[in-house]
């Protein structure tokens, strides 16, 4: 079987593509010949192509509008949208530590960017009768960590639900909507977190790494996923090889979430 995913010449938008999963997705799609516009709040020091980057905070409506304008001006439309941006800035302490601002921030980071960008870019995709939208959700939508990520987990659950509803509406019109649900992925940020945990607990990196995996209930394969592994899955799902896949959610967590 050929390794060609038939993505050459496709126009793609990848939100949050300067680090972690997002950067891995950008790299993989470009390897397969796609033209990928990416976003981040700040411009990184090194850019392969400045015309394919837009600085914008897509947790705001204004930031989303900036990205939409860039897609239209620089790509003249889009064939693939990969929504990677997300995260949690909430304090630890369970439900009592979260005020209305923390809840709103979780929604602004993890739900509304996808809703706003889809709403703005979908009409043109529908007009061309083809396209793929991939939403990066999280296993926390079904396996929340109550001490620190209640709001994040709830927002990711909302994103997953929204994605399923959207797929039912637009799949008959040629637009596939797919979800990718990672568990713990060993990104640069995750490495920094584990390193800090090791310092705080007086252990080494591997000890802190194992402790974090245990806190998740264990990862049967014995390690976190790699950003490139998530990117490989995204690239396949974005390609014509996955033409019959829509409305589904693909978990990539090393077996963390028990199957039923």
């Amino acid at each position: 079987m050929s390794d060609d995913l038939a993505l050459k010449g496709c126009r793609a938008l990848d939100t949050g593509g300067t680090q972690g999963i997002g950067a891995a997705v950008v790299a993989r799609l470009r390897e397969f010949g796609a033209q990928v516009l990416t976003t981040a709040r700040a411009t990184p020091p090194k850019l392969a192509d400045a015309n394919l980057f837009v600085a914008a905070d897509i947790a705001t409506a204004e930031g989303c509008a900036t990205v939409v304008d860039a897609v239209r001006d620089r790509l003249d439309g889009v064939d693939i949208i990969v929504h990677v941006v997300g995260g949690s800035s909430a304090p630890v302490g369970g439900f009592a530590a979260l005020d209305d601002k923390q809840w709103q921030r979780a929604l602004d980071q993890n739900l509304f960017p996808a809703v706003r960008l889809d709403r703005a870019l979908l009409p043109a995709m529908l007009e061309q009768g083809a396209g793929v939208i991939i939403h990066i959700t999280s296993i926390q939508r079904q396996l929340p960590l109550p001490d620190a990520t209640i709001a994040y987990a709830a927002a990711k659950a909302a994103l997953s639900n929204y994605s399923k509803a959207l797929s039912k509406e637009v799949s008959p019109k040629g637009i596939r909507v797919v979800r990718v649900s990672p568990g713990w992925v060993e990104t640069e940020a995750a490495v920094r977190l584990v390193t800090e945990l090791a310092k705080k607990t007086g252990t080494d990196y591997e000890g802190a790494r194992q402790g974090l995996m245990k806190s998740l209930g264990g990862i049967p394969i014995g390690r976190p996923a790699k950003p490139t592994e998530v990117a490989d899955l995204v690239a396949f799902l974005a390609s014509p090889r996955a033409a019959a896949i829509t409305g589904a959610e693909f978990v990539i967590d090393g077996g963390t979430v028990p199957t039923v």
Side-chain angles (χ1 to χ4, degrees), residues 57-171:
D57 181 3
I58 63 170
T60 68
E62 295 78 12
C64 287
T66 297
V67 173
V68 169
D69 288 342
V71 168
R72 291 169 177 165
D73 293 343
R74 304 180 198 181
L75 297 182
D76 192 29
V78 68
D79 305 300
I80 300 164
I81 302 173
V82 186
H83 292 289
V84 182
V85 161
S88 175
S89 57
V92 298
F95 80 94
L98 303 177
D99 59 17
D100 283 0
K101 289 183 179 179
Q102 294 290 350
W103 276 98
Q104 187 62 56
R105 180 62 177 164
L107 293 170
D108 287 340
Q109 287 181 297
N110 298 286
L111 175 63
F112 289 136
V115 171
R116 289 169 176 148
L117 290 172
D118 290 349
R119 187 170 58 212
L121 296 172
L122 253 171
M125 297 176 84
L126 290 168
E127 186 174 341
Q128 67 191 22
V132 183
I133 296 173
I134 299 175
H135 294 143
I136 305 299
T137 58
S138 169
I139 62 168
Q140 288 201 43
R141 74 169 186 83
Q142 62 191 110
L143 192 70
L145 301 176
D147 185 51
T149 60
I150 292 176
Y152 166 81
K156 285 296 190 180
L159 176 62
S160 181
N161 186 279
Y162 155 72
S163 303
K164 181 63 176 178
L166 186 66
S167 74
K168 289 186 175 183
E169 179 180 358
V170 301
S171 292

Side-chain angles (χ1 to χ4, degrees), residues 48-61:
D49 186 341
N51 191 55
L52 291 176
F53 174 82
V54 55
D57 181 3
I58 63 170
T60 68

